């Protein structure tokens, strides 16, 4: 069976009628005991399982997922990768994620189709321009690539922009190393690489409770039986508070629906990523040709994976205003993911009051871009018991100490 | 899309309203005696249930008055509407 992907194996299997490919990962049945359990088969959980095995030599790991891997927010986001953050801690963390993404296809032997096509943020008034200049300066000080462009330059660089929009484009900031990747490939690539290192990937397995003894987690009860482990990591995004409650752990997270949709596929027409916070537009084109459009949060709690009509209308209006040529394109699909929002829009990666139980949550609307680093750092604390230096300030204790990293207010990111 | 029955104006579209988050949260006090944990709990920790949720809504583009809503966070069905200041009623479902 062919399990390594290369040009040579592609040709060989092509001549062989594609009959020799090994399954990408083992669909495992749960064993009674593991060294570690990771709850949640999205990008963060899969990356955690992979880095537990790769970085720390802990391969007797179960990754358990209620549905199918990559079927939650990993399959529901707009696949944008960027590190245009403001504060030193968040900038360093998301830049680490971007750097891991840059080498990920080779690392996993799986083409994640990371296309560094640039990521533009537009400003439509003087204050927006000042904020973008501030952002660009902060990024440069943090050693991250950023370019500020005036309005004319923005129009030269982005094809199809409305030459005279109601709210004129006065400036833009580009992160040239930003871009998009294939979301399924990220999940499947990590799953395949983790499985090859010995991780059991267990799907259709819902966590129903936790085994707790003396303030320490001893395992999880699941719909497929009890799985014992003295170290449990959780990466379940919008369901963090629900599962945390079962472990007796409260988390400062609110769950909201974040909506996105795609148009019918067309030939390549937009070669970068465009975000205009003022007009509510977040737009890119996928490799399949669909325009991928992100909307905003419905600002009331929701566990329904569907977005509201008002936001769909607002996002579509923003796209049509900035790109009049897209006004006659048809929507193909619409959906929402349930995102885990913290008060300061900075993630939580760290220990909890329950011994041996670690969480990775609080990504808000921006978890996809952080997958490699989120997995790397959750694996680190699960294996060593201490926070990775990059996430030392991302612990739960910041909510009592007051040392919040108020990334939303500082950078104007829509989450 | 939500159809919210404002107790003062009647049923109106969701776009006229703003959600003000969880209801029945009381500020702990007296201020000098509140522990960091209790203060963090008051500021940042919410129940966030996948079930019936009691929350405040403001009819921002209407009468600009606040009221309480019991709403299911999965189906989005509004189970009850009741005035500000009234005690938390038993389950409306």
């Amino acid at each position: 069976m062919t399990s390594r992907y290369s040009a040579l194996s592609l040709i060989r299997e092509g001549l062989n009628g594609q009959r020799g490919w090994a399954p990408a990962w083992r669909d495992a049945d749960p064993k009674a005991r593991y060294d570690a359990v990771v709850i949640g088969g999205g990008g963060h959980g899969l990356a955690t399982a992979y880095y537990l095995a790769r970085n720390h030599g802990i391969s007797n790991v179960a990754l358990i997922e209620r549905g199918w891997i990559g079927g939650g927010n990993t399959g529901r986001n707009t696949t944008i990768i960027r590190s245009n953050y403001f504060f030193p801690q968040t900038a360093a963390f998301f830049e680490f994620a971007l750097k891991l993404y840059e080498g990920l296809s080779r690392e996993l032997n799986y083409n994640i189709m990371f296309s560094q096509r640039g990521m533009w943020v537009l400003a439509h008034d003087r204050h927006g321009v000042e904020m973008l200049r501030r952002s660009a300066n902060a990024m440069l000080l943090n050693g991250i690539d950023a370019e500020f462009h005036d309005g004319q330059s923005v129009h030269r660089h982005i094809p199809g922009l409305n030459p005279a929009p109601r709210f004129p484009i006065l400036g833009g900031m580009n992160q040239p190393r930003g871009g998009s990747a294939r979301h399924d490939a990220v999940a499947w690539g990590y799953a395949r690489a983790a499985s090859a290192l010995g991780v059991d990937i267990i799907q259709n397995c819902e966590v129903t409770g936790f085994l707790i003894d003396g303030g320490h987690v001893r395992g999880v009860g699941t719909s497929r039986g009890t799985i014992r482990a003295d170290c449990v990591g959780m990466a379940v995004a919008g369901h963090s508070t629900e599962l945390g409650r079962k472990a007796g752990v409260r988390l400062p997270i609110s769950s909201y629906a974040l909506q996105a949709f795609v148009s019918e596929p067309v030939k390549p027409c937009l070669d970068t990523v465009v975000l205009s916070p003022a007009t509510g537009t977040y737009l890119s084109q996928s490799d399949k040709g669909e325009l991928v459009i992100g909307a905003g949060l419905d600002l009331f709690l929701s566990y329904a994976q569907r977005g509201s009509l008002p936001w769909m209308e607002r996002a579509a209006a923003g796209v049509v205003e900035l790109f009049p040529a897209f006004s006659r394109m048809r929507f193909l699909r619409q959906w929402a993911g349930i995102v885990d929002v913290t008060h300061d829009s900075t993630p939580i990666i760290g220990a909890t009051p329950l011994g041996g139980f670690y969480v990775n949550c609080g990504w808000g609307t921006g978890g996809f871009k952080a997958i490699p680093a989120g997995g790397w750092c959750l694996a680190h604390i699960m294996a060593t018991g201490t926070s990775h230096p990059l996430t030392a300030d991302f612990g739960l204790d910041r909510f009592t100490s007051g040392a919040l990293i108020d990334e939303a207010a500082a950078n104007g990111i829509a989450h | 899309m939500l159809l919210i029955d404002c107790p003062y104006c009647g049923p109106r579209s969701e776009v006229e309203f703003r959600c003000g988050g969880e209801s029945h949260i009381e500020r702990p006090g007296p201020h000098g005696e509140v522990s960091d944990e209790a203060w963090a709990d008051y500021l940042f920790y919410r129940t966030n249930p996948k079930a019936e949720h009691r929350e405040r809504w403001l009819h921002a583009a209407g009468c600009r008055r606040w009221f309480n809503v019991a709403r299911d966070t999965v189906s989005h069905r509004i189970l009850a509407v009741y005035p500000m200041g009234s005690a938390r009623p038993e389950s409306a479902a």
Side-chain angles (χ1 to χ4, degrees), chain A residues 144-156:
Chain A
I144 297 168
D145 59 322
E147 299 170 350
F148 182 84
H149 294 257
D150 62 24
Q152 286 183 333
S153 179
V154 172
H155 279 279
R156 275 200 307 277

Side-chain angles (χ1 to χ4, degrees), chain A residues 66 238-239 241-242 245 250-257 298-304 306-310 343 396 398-402 404, chain B residues 1-2 13-15 18-22 36-41 43-51 53 55 57 71-76:
Chain A
R66 183 178 62 171
H239 282 72
T241 50
E242 284 294 299
R245 208 182 330 269
R250 297 185 69 209
L251 294 166
I253 283 180
S254 296
S255 299
Y256 297 102
D298 293 331
L299 287 173
F300 47 84
L301 296 187
S302 175
Y303 286 86
R306 57 178 191 272
S308 73
L309 287 170
H343 203 82
L396 270 176
R398 73 176 188 266
F399 295 95
T400 39
S401 71
L404 301 182
Chain B
M1 184 127 176
L2 302 177
S13 159
E14 159 189 340
V15 294
R18 298 284 178 276
C19 184
E22 186 174 336
D36 288 349
E37 287 70 27
W39 191 242
D41 193 75
L43 288 179
F44 304 125
Y45 285 78
R46 298 293 178 262
T47 56
N48 197 36
K50 187 178 184 178
H53 184 239
E55 56 200 18
W57 282 80
R71 183 180 61 88
D72 187 292
T73 59
V74 181
S75 69
H76 291 180

Side-chain angles (χ1 to χ4, degrees), chain A residues 237-315:
Chain A
H239 282 72
S240 295
T241 50
E242 284 294 299
L243 261 185
R245 208 182 330 269
K246 289 180 178 162
V249 172
R250 297 185 69 209
L251 294 166
I253 283 180
S254 296
S255 299
Y256 297 102
L258 177 66
Q259 183 173 196
F261 30 88
V262 293
S263 73
E264 59 191 330
V266 293
K267 288 189 175 177
C269 58
L270 181 64
D271 61 358
T272 188
V273 182
V274 180
L275 167 64
S276 164
T279 62
T281 308
Y282 198 3
L283 183 68
S284 61
Q285 188 176 24
S286 74
D287 286 339
K288 279 192 287 186
E290 302 157 330
L291 294 178
V292 182
I293 299 163
L297 293 179
D298 293 331
L299 287 173
F300 47 84
L301 296 187
S302 175
Y303 286 86
Q305 288 175 320
R306 57 178 191 272
S308 73
L309 287 170
W311 246 119
M312 185 197 274
E313 184 178 15
R314 183 172 158 194

Side-chain angles (χ1 to χ4, degrees), chain A residues 322-337:
Chain A
L322 276 185
F323 294 91
F326 297 156
S327 66
R328 295 176 69 184
M329 289 181 65
R330 281 172 285 222
F331 281 4
L332 200 64
R333 291 190 305 282
Q334 177 266 0
W335 67 89

